[in-house]
Amino acid sequence: MELVVTKTLFLCVLFTVSTAAPLQDAAVEDGDTSPAVLDRCAGVEFDAITLNEKGNTLFFKGDHLWNGFTGPAQLSTLYFKELNGPVNAAFRMHNTENPDDHDHIYLFQDDKVYSYFNQNLEEGYPKQIEEDFPGVPTHLDAAVECPKGECMTDSVLFFKGQDVHVYDITTKTVKTKTWSHLPSCTSAFRWLEHYYCFHGHNFTRFHPVSGEVTGAYPKDARHYFMNCPNFGHGGDRKPLKCSDVKLSAATTDDGGRTYFFAGPIYMRVDSHRDGIHAFPITRAWKEVNDGVDAVFSYDNKIYLIKGDQVYIYKADAHFTLIEGYPKTIKEELGIEGPVDAAFVCPNENIAYIIQGNRMHDIVLTATPRVVGRVVPLPLSNIDASLCGEDGIKIFRGSQFYRYESPMILAMGRIAPVPVAITSAMMPCED
C-alpha cells in the first residue's frame, strides 16, 4: 500500500470545540483589577484543569476559569455558582457502570468536594472529601480520571506533593505511590488517552500507571493548550480538506476505541466529543516506524502489519508488544505479503486480508493459521477497511464503500455507490 499523508494532516492539526469566541485572553468581569494575572499567554500556573460533560476544557485560576483553548477568563461562578474561592483540583468522572455519576464534574476546595452536572450542583453537595472519597487527603494539588484500559480499573489519581493516591472507583480503596521523578503537579489533565502534569506554565506527559516520563519534557503549555501569539506547534494549522484524506488503515479494538492511521500518524476518532488530535504512531506503538499497511483487532490484541512483518500488541492499559514479535506475515497469518487492508468483525474469529482485488479468509482460532477462501473483489487500490456494528467500510482515497457483511462483500461483483468521507467521521473540512 502506498503511504501518503498530506502536509496538513502530518502536521497533527488540532480540532477542538470551544464555546468561548474571542481569541484574546483578558479578564472581562467588572471590578477585576488584575487582568495581567489572568492573561494565560503571559504564563499561568493553573489551579485545576478538567473536561466538562460537553468535552470543553476548563482551566481554573483563582476565582476565574477559561472555557476552551481560546477566549477570555470569566468568573468561575458564572458556571458553578455555588463556588466560593479557588479550586484545588478537578476531574470529570468516568464511571460508565453508574450513569448517575458518569461525566459529573468534581471540584475540590480544601476539605470539600462539589459534584456538578450541566453546571447544576448535585443534591447533598458540597461534602467532605472523606465522605465521597474515603482515604483521599484534603487540600489536594491535582486530580485526574483514569478509565479502565488506561489504568487497571476505573480510577482517579489524586496528587499531593510527590504522592499519588490511586482511588479505585468500584472498591473505594486507595493505593498510594510516590513519584519523586515527576514535578509537583498543580493540575493534571487527561486528554485523548494522554496524561499531563502541569507545573508553572509547563507540562510533563506521564504514564498513569507507572508515572514514567518518555520524551523531552517539560514543554511550554502555551505551545499546545491555548491559542497565544508567537506560540504554537503544527505550522499554520489549516484544517485538512476531506477531499484530500487518504487513510492507511483503520480498526476498532475490543474496548470500542476506533483508530484511523495515515502515514506516520494516527488519531482516535470515537472520542471526538473531547477533540481529535493526530499523534505519531510511535507514541502508542513505539516499535512501529514509518506508518503501517494494515491493522486489525482481535481477542484484546491489535495487529499492525508493516511490510512483511506483523506486530501484535496487548490492548490493556496502553499497548504492549507481545514477546517474540514482530514475525513475518507468512509465519503469523499463513500468506505472503504485502497486505493492503485488513479487518475483523465484532464477535468473529476470521481475519479478512485484502491484497489487490482479492480477499483471504484466515481463521484466527487455528494454530498454525488456516487460510480459507480467496475471493475476488469488485474493487482494487484499497487503502483501508473497518468492520463494526454498522457493517463494513472499504476506504479508497477520500471515499468509502459500505457493505452489510463480509459475505455480501465477497459475493459482490459491482461496487456500490461510494460515500465521501466527511467531518462527521474524522477531523477534516467538508
Side-chain angles (χ1 to χ4, degrees):
M1 174 184 295
E2 181 186 8
L3 295 180
V4 177
V5 58
T6 64
K7 178 182 178 182
T8 48
L9 182 57
F10 178 74
L11 289 174
C12 302
V13 184
L14 176 65
F15 294 81
T16 304
V17 176
S18 172
T19 58
L23 295 180
Q24 181 181 359
D25 282 340
V28 297
E29 301 303 327
D30 292 339
D32 192 289
T33 59
S34 54
V37 174
L38 296 175
D39 180 6
R40 55 180 165 178
C41 291
V44 168
E45 183 174 81
F46 297 111
D47 296 330
I49 305 173
T50 186
L51 291 164
N52 67 11
E53 61 280 348
K54 295 180 176 63
N56 297 324
T57 305
L58 306 180
F59 299 83
F60 292 85
K61 180 63 178 179
D63 293 331
H64 289 72
L65 64 77
W66 290 265
N67 184 354
F69 295 101
T70 64
Q74 299 170 287
L75 283 173
S76 302
T77 49
L78 293 177
Y79 296 87
F80 308 105
K81 62 182 180 181
E82 293 83 5
L83 282 181
N84 182 21
V87 171
N88 303 133
F91 73 90
R92 185 181 70 184
M93 176 64 75
H94 182 91
N95 187 4
T96 55
E97 295 183 2
N98 184 0
D100 292 335
D101 198 28
H102 183 61
D103 273 353
H104 285 218
I105 311 304
Y106 283 82
L107 306 178
F108 295 81
Q109 286 185 328
D110 299 333
D111 59 351
K112 293 182 173 59
V113 57
Y114 296 73
S115 176
Y116 285 89
F117 188 74
N118 285 331
Q119 300 179 23
N120 294 314
L121 185 66
E122 292 294 297
E123 185 177 353
Y125 287 86
K127 296 180 179 179
Q128 295 293 312
I129 293 176
E130 176 68 22
E131 183 180 352
D132 231 10
F133 299 94
V136 172
T138 61
H139 299 82
L140 294 162
D141 293 329
V144 64
E145 72 279 6
C146 188
K148 182 179 179 180
E150 297 171 28
C151 282
M152 301 311 296
T153 63
D154 284 333
S155 306
V156 182
L157 309 183
F158 291 98
F159 294 78
K160 187 168 184 177
Q162 300 300 134
D163 291 337
V164 181
H165 307 271
V166 183
Y167 181 84
D168 187 309
I169 292 170
T170 301
T171 64
K172 298 185 180 297
T173 56
V174 176
K175 294 182 179 178
T176 301
K177 307 176 182 180
T178 300
W179 289 346
S180 56
H181 61 283
L182 200 64
S184 294
C185 307
T186 60
S187 56
F189 183 41
R190 170 184 176 265
W191 193 61
L192 304 181
E193 302 180 284
H194 294 78
Y195 291 78
Y196 303 94
C197 162
F198 284 75
H199 44 96
H201 57 78
N202 295 319
F203 70 91
T204 297
R205 185 168 64 88
F206 65 93
H207 192 291
V209 176
S210 65
E212 179 184 4
V213 175
T214 303
Y217 289 94
K219 294 181 179 180
D220 195 315
R222 291 170 290 184
H223 285 294
Y224 298 86
F225 290 97
M226 57 202 77
N227 191 329
C228 294
N230 303 317
F231 289 91
H233 73 293
D236 56 11
R237 302 192 186 192
K238 291 181 180 178
L240 174 70
K241 294 286 188 182
C242 294
S243 58
D244 293 333
V245 168
K246 185 175 176 64
L247 298 178
S248 304
T251 192
T252 299
D253 68 13
D254 291 350
R257 298 176 292 189
T258 299
Y259 298 99
F260 283 178
F261 298 79
I265 62 93
Y266 79 95
M267 63 189 76
R268 182 177 172 185
V269 297
D270 63 288
S271 57
H272 56 83
R273 173 185 65 166
D274 298 337
I276 296 179
H277 195 286
F279 296 102
I281 291 174
T282 50
R283 170 83 57 99
W285 302 278
K286 61 183 179 181
E287 294 83 5
V288 181
N289 296 304
D290 300 324
V292 295
D293 296 333
V295 179
F296 66 88
S297 299
Y298 172 71
D299 191 26
N300 203 36
K301 301 179 184 69
I302 186 167
Y303 293 64
L304 279 73
I305 301 173
K306 169 69 177 176
D308 65 348
Q309 302 286 303
V310 180
Y311 300 76
I312 303 181
Y313 289 81
K314 293 180 181 178
D316 293 326
H318 299 267
F319 297 101
T320 305
L321 184 67
I322 293 177
E323 186 176 354
Y325 286 86
K327 294 182 179 180
T328 65
I329 294 175
K330 179 67 174 177
E331 184 179 4
E332 180 62 33
L333 299 177
I335 62 173
E336 299 288 348
V339 171
D340 292 324
F343 64 90
V344 174
C345 292
N347 304 315
E348 292 193 9
N349 55 23
I350 296 177
Y352 298 93
I353 307 297
I354 298 173
Q355 295 177 307
N357 63 347
R358 296 187 305 164
M359 184 171 71
H360 300 259
D361 298 359
I362 298 177
V363 180
L364 296 174
T365 53
T367 304
R369 304 301 194 203
V370 174
V371 181
R373 299 180 305 164
V374 180
V375 298
L377 298 177
L379 296 166
S380 59
N381 299 317
I382 293 170
D383 296 322
S385 56
L386 179 67
C387 186
E389 299 295 342
D390 59 346
I392 300 165
K393 296 182 181 72
I394 301 296
F395 294 91
R396 191 167 67 171
S398 61
Q399 299 176 321
F400 67 94
Y401 302 80
R402 191 188 300 275
Y403 292 87
E404 290 184 9
S405 68
M407 182 181 68
I408 293 176
L409 171 61
M411 293 176 61
R413 293 297 173 263
I414 300 176
V417 176
V419 180
I421 292 174
T422 67
S423 57
M425 297 177 60
M426 64 174 293
C428 59
E429 190 175 76
D430 294 323

